[in-house]
């Protein structure tokens, strides 16, 4: 199929989406992400305290529906934004794919860019299941949720360069991750290698994010990338911290456990 046809063929809801109104709303309301983050943090500590002396909830069926919904959403987002980014890469090159702001107002990607940003608020609901089911809540989980929400809302309003790469990668990883969660919640036995692959994909995503930030900064000096130093600094710190935390998680969850199991044998 011709890539330009695949990319520019819009669904009705994509055609009707007004990105100018969306960007204006975000410019006026992006600071509400701090309120959501504060409420989220309060729920974490308050919820864990309340559940401390209570029996855990099973919530298997709601968790299956929740994970499956996010998986389907992420799959559609990955396909639509991935097709658009691939088209830009093939027709205009790497620099255009990084620096061009067309991702925010492109015929297909404009809807999915805004949907991505908004989705970071309801995605906080992941933690509700962890707390109510009295599962282990690691720092990486809630730190990642809060910082992605804050950065996404902060950056979308300025239509900064690199956004197409950041969002498309996140959609792709989440499509696999939430599919895995849905299968596990439904009771399917999934290979441990699948979980390892997801974590390795997340580590790779963070590395690419750092590279994209470097390219944005380099090309911004030439006046070819729309961004600002403050955004690049926050983004780079965020991606670097994710990289270190996911590497630590990978070691603890897979390499460390394997070594312990061998010693026990």
């Amino acid at each position: 199929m011709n890539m330009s046809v695949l990319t520019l063929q819009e669904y009705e809801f994509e055609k009707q989406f007004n990105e100018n109104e969306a960007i204006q709303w975000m410019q006026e309301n992006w600071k509400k992400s701090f309120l959501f983050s504060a409420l989220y943090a309060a729920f974490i500590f308050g919820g864990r305290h309340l559940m401390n002396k209570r029996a855990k909830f099973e919530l298997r069926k709601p968790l299956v529906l929740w994970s499956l919904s996010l998986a389907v959403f992420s799959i559609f987002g990955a396909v639509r934004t991935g097709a658009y980014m691939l088209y830009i890469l093939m027709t205009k090159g790497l620099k255009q794919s990084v620096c061009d702001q067309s991702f925010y107002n492109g015929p297909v990607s404009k809807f999915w860019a805004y949907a991505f940003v908004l989705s970071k608020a309801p995605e906080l609901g992941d933690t509700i299941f962890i707390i109510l089911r009295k599962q282990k809540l690691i720092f990486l989980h809630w730190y990642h949720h809060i910082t992605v929400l804050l950065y996404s809302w902060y950056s979308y309003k300025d239509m900064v360069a690199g956004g197409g790469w950041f969002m498309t990668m996140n959609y792709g990883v989440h499509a696999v991750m939430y599919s895995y969660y849905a299968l596990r919640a439904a009771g399917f036995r999934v290979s441990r290698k699948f979980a390892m692959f997801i974590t390795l994909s997340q580590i790779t995503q963070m590395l690419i994010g750092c590279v994209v930030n470097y390219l944005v900064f380099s090309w911004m000096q030439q006046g070819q990338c729309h961004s600002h130093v403050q955004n690049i600094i926050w983004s780079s710190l965020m991606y670097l911290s994710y990289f270190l935390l996911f590497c630590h998680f990978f070691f603890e969850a897979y390499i460390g456990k394997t070594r312990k199991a061998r010693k026990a044998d």
Side-chain angles (χ1 to χ4, degrees), residues 52-200:
N52 191 38
K53 296 181 180 180
R54 295 171 181 263
K56 67 178 182 179
F57 294 89
E58 285 300 323
L59 301 176
R60 184 174 293 276
K61 290 182 179 179
L63 182 56
V64 171
L65 292 174
W66 174 260
S67 299
L68 186 60
S69 298
L70 289 175
V72 171
F73 167 73
S74 299
I75 290 169
F76 272 99
V79 170
R80 298 303 278 167
T81 60
Y84 187 80
M85 288 297 291
L86 184 59
Y87 170 67
I88 296 297
L89 273 169
M90 292 178 65
T91 59
K92 299 181 181 180
L94 177 64
K95 182 180 288 188
Q96 189 77 357
S97 73
V98 172
C99 295
D100 193 13
Q101 293 176 286
S102 66
F103 189 84
Y104 298 94
N105 51 30
V108 170
S109 58
K110 61 181 182 180
F111 170 83
W112 293 102
Y114 194 53
F116 172 87
V117 172
L118 291 185
S119 72
K120 297 308 156 188
E123 275 183 12
L124 299 177
D126 288 351
T127 315
I128 295 176
F129 290 97
I130 293 176
I131 290 176
L132 294 182
R133 300 175 77 210
K134 300 184 75 169
Q135 294 179 318
K136 184 180 179 181
L137 179 63
I138 61 175
F139 171 75
L140 171 58
H141 175 91
W142 60 266
Y143 167 75
H144 180 72
H145 271 304
I146 288 177
T147 49
V148 169
L149 169 64
L150 294 174
Y151 179 74
S152 297
W153 286 42
Y154 164 68
S155 297
Y156 178 83
K157 65 182 178 61
D158 296 326
M159 300 172 63
V160 295
W165 275 90
F166 299 153
M167 295 185 210
T168 302
M169 287 192 298
N170 193 273
Y171 267 133
V173 172
H174 277 204
V176 179
M177 183 183 75
Y178 281 114
S179 296
Y180 170 76
Y181 289 160
L183 290 171
R184 285 287 303 272
F188 290 95
R189 294 176 63 88
V190 185
S191 172
R192 189 163 174 263
K193 292 181 180 179
F194 195 2
M196 293 177 67
F197 169 75
I198 293 171
T199 306
L200 286 172

Side-chain angles (χ1 to χ4, degrees), residues 27 43 80 88 103 209 212 244 253 255:
Q27 289 172 344
F43 171 79
R80 298 303 278 167
I88 296 297
F103 189 84
V212 171
L244 295 174
I255 299 176

Side-chain angles (χ1 to χ4, degrees), residues 192 195-196 199 249-259:
R192 189 163 174 263
M196 293 177 67
T199 306
F249 174 79
F250 185 86
F251 180 85
E252 290 292 319
Y254 306 115
I255 299 176
K257 285 185 178 180
T258 301
R259 287 179 179 176

